[in-house]
Amino acid sequence: MKQSQSLIPTLKEVPAGADIKSHQLLLRAGFIRQTASGVYSYLPLGKRVLRKIEEIVREEMDQAGANEMLMPALQPAEIWKETGRWDVYGPELMRLQDRHEREFALGPTHEEVITSLVKDEVKSYKKLPLTLYQIQTKYRDEQRPRFGLLRGREFVMKDAYSFHETYESLDESYQLMYDTYSKIFNRCGLDFRPVIADSGAMGGKDTHEFMALSDVGEDTIAYSDTSDYAANIEMAEVTPNYEKPTTSLKEIEKVETPNQKTMQEVADYLEHSLSEGLKALMFKVDEKLVLVVTRGDHEVNDIKLKNLYQASMVELATEHETKQLLGAGFGSLGPVGVSDKVEVVADHAVEYVMNASCGANEDGYHFINVNPGRDFTVAKYADLRFIQEGDPSPDGQGVVKFARGIEIGQVFKLGDFYADQLGALYLDDQGKSKTMIMGCYGIGVSRVLAAIVEQFHDENGITWPDVIAPFQVHLLTINAKKEEQSQLADKLYQMLQTSGIEVLYDDRKERAGVKFADSDLIGIPYRITVGKRASEGYVEFKHRSTGEQLEVHESNIMETINKMMKK
Ligand code: ATP
Ligand code: MG
């Protein structure tokens, strides 16, 4: 493609509001433009890269025996009501009405559509297992669309769904998809890690997320420093290997703690460590109020709380609610004497504290020398806190460390929830009617694009991996007005194209400095510069990411490219 005839609007300055590298560079290098908040246009270069990623996904999915299809973005409300997700999905679901006031959603995902389709088309065990996929545009009215393509309101997803007779069959497809995802992300050149994840309230079982390692990632991965254990911090189980101190119990006492609100303030004021204080937070778990107690140095993990109650919603109670029920605001809540008013649950660590402090449910007061069992009762002890760096790894090997990750894909054992709700039944080999068992598997294709840029850039621009780059070769002249330079460049352009190499030819009448800067910014892996020695047939060859540079005679260009690409 000739640059003079294409739309590659590069920018010198970092655009306002673009906080992370992938967002900045994709805008600056002319790959994308924002059309509305969280909604982007892919310019010619962006579209080429997107297509490269899609092709890798497609090849590997096809290789795994999945069938590509395409479903509509526009989905009737009825099927969402049948599964109950019309209500559960909340404001993230983009809803609209047609001219007859019939309700629709713009699909954030396609379980409803595919399950009702398969319900109508697959009636016999002979058709199972079956895996279907699509690469399609999704809509989610995200609360905070940000970071460019990483969290859009309109984005490209590959979503796949598998249908089975048995859980064993689901396990096989799940493993196959897990392996396929690893191949896809390896081919994309990404540094990634599959992690154990939360399956949420939708009746699911096993699930893994694939995380591209990156400091801008919104997820925290807890991994073992010695084994290959890795989990989303939401899920990482804490091994309760606490010990009871050997001191003797002291008398409980109420003390004044004026204006001491945070755990740290109270600990400092009472002169003990954070771990000797008890933290009590009141949560609304679906409609029920629950007082959750942890040690002062621990944080409540709301996902674990939600899973404990198999709830669909968990949120902190308001200060108004805590005052009404327990008579105190956030800073003075505690578990003593409240079990007739609210259910008290506590993290395992709480069982092992001795002579601790806690809020007295009276503003400005705390109890000291509080002991579980003697001074307060707990309905249930459970793993309710976030794991911390240095905790023993849940698999018993080594200790936990943290890393940040961008969720680029997820594989999920759905079980029979959707098939059950939508009546996706089949006849087994005995002629008996049974409910299908399902799996679903997503890859954020456009998010992968941004994640690649997060991992592949330097101070001058993007450094695309060969297989993802929009073009393989960036061809340019130092001075396009010089006949011998433009003639040789024209000739090389023809030759490379005939050899099946994707070339972007910068034939613009710009200064060399401008062309080089744009070329570094765009990040095509191999650059051929036609300059001073054009008349002798020599050009300069440069590798974008390593900076490796050599003079090559035009007759050796193909050989050099082939050698470099194999490296
Ligand atoms: P997140 O937790 O990041 O909101 P999710 O778990 O809700 O994502 P899934 O329903 O698992 O997302 O969707 C499958 C994949 O689609 C995700 O793994 C992610 O790569 C991608 N994805 C999800 N939401 C977005 C978004 N708003 N913008 C771009 N990609 C997204
Ligand atoms: Mg997910």
Side-chain angles (χ1 to χ4, degrees):
M1 187 194 281
K2 288 190 175 169
Q3 219 161 319
S4 63
Q5 294 162 13
S6 65
L7 180 65
I8 308 176
T10 55
L11 306 169
K12 279 208 189 67
E13 306 298 328
V14 175
D19 298 327
I20 61 164
K21 279 291 168 191
S22 59
H23 192 193
Q24 294 171 356
L25 289 171
L26 288 169
L27 286 169
R28 284 190 56 213
F31 282 66
I32 58 168
R33 283 294 181 266
Q34 182 177 303
T35 301
S37 166
V39 180
Y40 289 86
S41 297
Y42 295 82
L43 305 186
L45 290 182
K47 174 65 183 161
R48 287 182 79 96
V49 172
L50 193 65
R51 205 161 62 200
K52 296 268 169 93
I53 300 168
E54 287 175 1
E55 246 349 277
I56 291 174
V57 171
R58 198 169 268 127
E59 279 172 28
E60 295 299 336
M61 289 301 291
D62 290 349
Q63 183 69 33
N67 303 237
E68 184 170 4
M69 60 183 293
L70 184 60
M71 287 176 271
L74 198 59
Q75 308 182 358
E78 285 75 35
I79 49 177
W80 283 80
K81 287 179 180 166
E82 273 183 67
T83 61
R85 289 213 294 181
W86 185 256
D87 296 324
V88 175
Y89 218 95
E92 241 176 62
L93 189 64
M94 293 265 196
R95 298 159 208 253
L96 63 157
Q97 288 193 341
D98 70 7
R99 64 170 77 201
H100 307 293
E101 294 180 2
R102 282 188 288 246
E103 291 176 302
F104 286 86
L106 288 177
T109 174
H110 279 67
E111 283 83 5
E112 279 78 1
V113 176
I114 191 92
T115 309
S116 38
L117 196 110
V118 166
K119 165 197 168 169
D120 290 340
E121 304 310 324
V122 177
K123 307 279 190 196
S124 156
Y125 74 96
K126 290 182 192 148
K127 281 273 177 213
L128 301 175
L130 178 68
T131 302
L132 300 160
Y133 80 96
Q134 63 174 345
I135 298 175
Q136 192 256 9
T137 304
K138 297 283 184 279
Y139 299 85
R140 292 184 185 180
D141 200 354
E142 297 275 356
Q143 192 168 19
R144 285 183 69 201
R146 61 195 174 135
F147 296 160
L149 298 185
L150 281 185
R151 186 168 296 285
R153 295 197 295 166
E154 174 175 312
F155 58 97
V156 181
M157 197 201 284
K158 185 285 300 175
D159 45 329
Y161 307 87
S162 66
F163 297 85
H164 309 267
E165 285 184 82
T166 62
Y167 279 94
E168 292 71 42
S169 165
L170 169 61
D171 291 347
E172 273 172 40
S173 289
Y174 184 87
Q175 189 57 45
L176 181 60
M177 281 300 129
Y178 184 104
D179 296 341
T180 300
Y181 276 31
S182 299
K183 282 189 201 156
I184 290 169
F185 298 133
N186 274 323
R187 280 183 66 183
C188 290
L190 283 166
D191 184 10
F192 69 96
R193 189 137 194 191
V195 307
I196 301 164
D198 173 44
S199 58
M202 275 299 149
K205 289 180 31 186
D206 293 351
T207 176
H208 285 84
E209 288 162 346
F210 286 75
M211 296 286 185
L213 301 182
S214 163
D215 288 343
V216 304
E218 293 179 287
D219 289 280
T220 302
I221 303 166
Y223 66 95
S224 158
D225 66 346
T226 48
S227 73
D228 60 8
Y229 174 88
N232 191 313
I233 191 176
E234 294 173 342
M235 277 303 281
E237 285 170 31
V238 175
T239 316
N241 65 340
Y242 310 105
E243 276 171 29
K244 206 77 174 166
T246 47
T247 47
S248 51
L249 301 190
K250 296 184 190 161
E251 272 309 300
I252 184 169
E253 228 181 285
K254 189 152 97 179
V255 295
E256 220 176 326
T257 47
N259 300 322
Q260 311 302 317
K261 289 253 149 67
T262 67
M263 290 307 297
Q264 190 64 57
E265 283 167 1
V266 173
D268 291 346
Y269 187 79
L270 297 174
E271 295 181 356
H272 62 58
S273 69
L274 258 187
S275 62
E276 289 166 297
L278 292 179
K279 175 155 60 185
L281 296 174
M282 198 155 85
F283 282 89
K284 225 194 277 170
V285 180
D286 287 339
E287 290 312 310
K288 180 177 172 152
L289 288 170
V290 176
L291 192 72
V292 183
V293 188
T294 61
R295 236 168 53 186
D297 58 331
H298 293 154
E299 296 296 328
V300 177
N301 181 329
D302 49 346
I303 303 272
K304 288 181 179 175
L305 180 64
K306 189 168 153 195
N307 291 343
L308 179 70
Y309 282 91
Q310 299 193 328
S312 50
M313 197 265 317
V314 156
E315 65 182 8
L316 268 179
T318 62
E319 197 148 20
H320 178 70
E321 284 166 321
T322 67
K323 280 207 163 125
Q324 258 195 339
L325 190 67
L326 300 180
F330 290 154
S332 300
L333 298 179
V336 177
V338 297
S339 52
D340 54 338
K341 295 186 195 137
V342 64
E343 184 159 304
V344 180
V345 292
D347 179 62
H348 287 304
V350 171
E351 209 172 348
Y352 296 85
V353 298
M354 228 179 181
N355 302 326
S357 77
C358 70
N361 297 314
E362 187 177 338
D363 287 337
Y365 288 91
H366 276 72
F367 286 120
I368 56 169
N369 303 329
V370 173
N371 288 285
R374 186 192 71 179
D375 302 320
F376 65 92
T377 50
V378 167
K380 197 171 203 170
Y381 284 103
D383 174 15
L384 285 173
R385 72 163 171 101
F386 278 107
I387 204 163
Q388 294 180 339
E389 274 190 300
D391 278 335
S393 174
D395 69 346
Q397 299 179 54
V399 297
V400 161
K401 290 196 155 182
F402 286 171
R404 307 288 291 174
I406 299 168
E407 183 195 323
I408 45 177
Q410 182 161 22
V411 291
F412 206 110
K413 290 184 190 171
L414 286 172
D416 63 3
F417 177 82
Y418 291 97
D420 195 34
Q421 299 294 310
L422 292 158
L425 307 171
Y426 68 97
L427 294 178
D428 73 4
D429 58 355
Q430 308 294 314
K432 265 187 31 208
S433 179
K434 294 213 168 128
T435 305
M436 292 182 198
I437 292 160
M438 290 172 61
C440 73
Y441 318 91
I443 290 182
V445 177
S446 45
R447 187 182 279 185
V448 165
L449 198 167
I452 293 173
V453 179
E454 284 301 328
Q455 291 189 359
F456 291 88
H457 68 262
D458 60 18
E459 65 281 9
N460 297 321
I462 309 174
T463 57
W464 293 108
D466 286 6
V467 295
I468 305 294
F471 293 90
Q472 256 53 66
V473 169
H474 204 171
L475 174 67
L476 52 89
T477 51
I478 297 268
N479 186 347
K481 287 183 203 126
K482 293 230 160 109
E483 190 79 350
E484 70 271 18
Q485 289 188 22
S486 56
Q487 262 178 12
L488 179 56
D490 285 351
K491 184 174 151 197
L492 292 179
Y493 181 54
Q494 289 306 331
M495 183 193 84
L496 289 164
Q497 280 194 314
T498 325
S499 312
I501 304 276
E502 297 168 296
V503 197
L504 180 64
Y505 177 15
D506 193 349
D507 58 336
R508 294 174 304 165
K509 306 260 177 305
E510 290 283 357
R511 284 184 298 111
V514 171
K515 293 191 198 175
F516 285 139
D518 276 354
S519 175
D520 280 346
L521 190 57
I522 293 168
I524 294 169
Y526 306 99
R527 179 160 83 204
I528 295 175
T529 307
V530 182
K532 278 203 271 322
R533 295 188 68 193
S535 55
E536 304 158 64
Y538 275 95
V539 298
E540 188 194 272
F541 200 95
K542 188 171 178 190
H543 191 213
R544 171 70 183 84
S545 61
T546 62
E548 194 182 333
Q549 210 165 323
L550 50 151
E551 287 222 302
V552 181
H553 192 260
E554 55 169 304
S555 57
N556 288 329
I557 281 183
M558 280 315 298
E559 199 188 330
T560 313
I561 290 180
N562 288 331
K563 232 194 264 168
M564 284 248 187
M565 280 192 182
K566 274 201 203 95
K567 264 200 212 166

